Amino acid sequence: QQRLFELTERAADWYHDRLRTGPDAAAARSYLRGRGFDAEEVARYRIGWAPDGWDLMARSLKVSAADLEASGLGFTNKAGRLQDFFRARVLFPIFDERSRVIGFGGRKLPDTEGPKYQNSRDNVLYNKSKVLYGLNWAKADAVNHDEVVICEGYTDVIGFNRAGLARAVATCGTALTEEHVQQLKKFTRRLVLAYDADSAGQAA
C-alpha cells in the first residue's frame, strides 16, 4: 500500500507538470483559465493534464504492470501492452483525509469525444463509496462551523472555497452512501446538501 501511495503521488506530480509545461496541454490551460482558475488554484489543487497517448505516463514513471493496475493508473490492453487509464483529460487528484493521493477525477475538454467525467475505478487505495473529495481541506472548517456542505463535483468544492466556504466536500460521481455519512459524523452532525438543480441532482 505504501508503494502505491508513492506511485499515485508521483503520478499527480507528473500530470501536474504536464499541465504547466506540456505543449499538448495548451487547450487544457486555456479551458481552466476560462473557468476562472489561476495559477495559485491550479497549484493548490494539483490539477493536471493526462496527454492523449497510449502509455506516456506509464513509460515515464517506469512502474510494474501489477502496481499500475493496483493503483488504477493503467491496465494491460488486448495487445498485451501497458496503457494509461486517463487520456486527454484535465485531472483532479482525489485525496484521502490525510491528504494522500488515492485516485483521480478526469474531465474531458469541451467538443471532444467520450464521457464528460471519468473517475478512478475502485482499487486498493480508492473506494468511491467511502471517498469524499475535499474532506482533507474541509474537516477543520466543518468542525469550526459544526456543518459540512455536500455537493456533486470537484469544481463545486473549489467554487465553494472561492466563496469562502471551506467546509465543502463532493461525492465522486456516485450517490451519498452510509459510509460517507459515517465519515462526516466524525466532524459534524449537520449536513447541508448542495446538489445541482437538475433532475439528477434533485433525485440524488
Side-chain angles (χ1 to χ4, degrees):
Q1 199 177 50
Q2 185 56 40
R3 192 169 70 245
L4 295 181
F5 275 127
E6 290 169 3
L7 173 55
T8 53
E9 283 289 335
R10 287 172 57 207
D13 286 343
W14 190 87
Y15 286 130
H16 181 60
D17 187 60
R18 190 84 182 198
L19 175 69
R20 290 192 308 108
T21 63
D24 60 311
R29 292 191 291 268
S30 176
Y31 165 76
L32 287 166
R33 279 194 299 272
R35 293 292 302 269
F37 286 86
D38 58 22
E40 187 178 321
E41 277 186 329
V42 167
R44 182 188 178 199
Y45 299 106
R46 294 176 70 185
I47 300 169
W49 170 250
D52 191 15
W54 287 102
D55 58 356
L56 289 171
M57 190 277 300
R59 280 193 290 120
S60 294
L61 296 190
K62 297 181 175 66
V63 292
S64 69
D67 283 356
L68 201 71
E69 293 187 19
S71 65
L73 289 168
F75 58 94
T76 303
N77 63 21
K78 291 176 183 174
R81 267 182 62 186
L82 278 182
Q83 185 174 325
D84 295 344
F85 182 67
F86 295 103
R87 294 173 53 201
R89 288 180 179 270
V90 174
L91 291 188
F92 294 82
I94 300 168
F95 304 90
D96 68 6
E97 194 182 312
R98 293 163 57 184
S99 294
R100 298 177 298 188
V101 179
I102 55 174
F104 295 86
R107 194 204 189 284
K108 76 179 185 75
L109 294 177
D111 304 320
T112 58
E113 293 181 10
K116 186 175 179 180
Y117 292 104
Q118 179 188 26
N119 293 331
S120 291
R121 295 175 181 148
D122 283 1
N123 59 61
V124 176
L125 303 181
Y126 176 85
N127 183 323
K128 67 181 178 183
S129 297
K130 299 178 181 177
V131 171
L132 288 160
Y133 178 78
L135 183 59
N136 54 317
W137 302 303
K139 57 187 181 180
D141 202 51
V143 170
N144 290 340
H145 289 84
D146 192 23
E147 173 183 277
V148 69
V149 177
I150 304 166
C151 50
E152 288 189 28
Y154 325 108
T155 54
D156 292 339
V157 168
I158 294 167
F160 273 111
N161 273 272
R162 283 178 187 164
L165 281 158
R167 53 191 177 277
V169 299
T171 50
C172 295
T174 187
L176 186 67
T177 66
E178 192 168 336
E179 291 104 316
H180 289 141
V181 175
Q182 291 298 331
Q183 280 206 75
L184 292 171
K185 278 172 65 178
K186 293 187 288 185
F187 307 104
T188 178
R189 298 182 72 85
R190 177 175 163 80
L191 310 181
V192 179
L193 296 181
Y195 287 162
D196 291 353
D198 59 19
S199 56
Q202 294 311 297

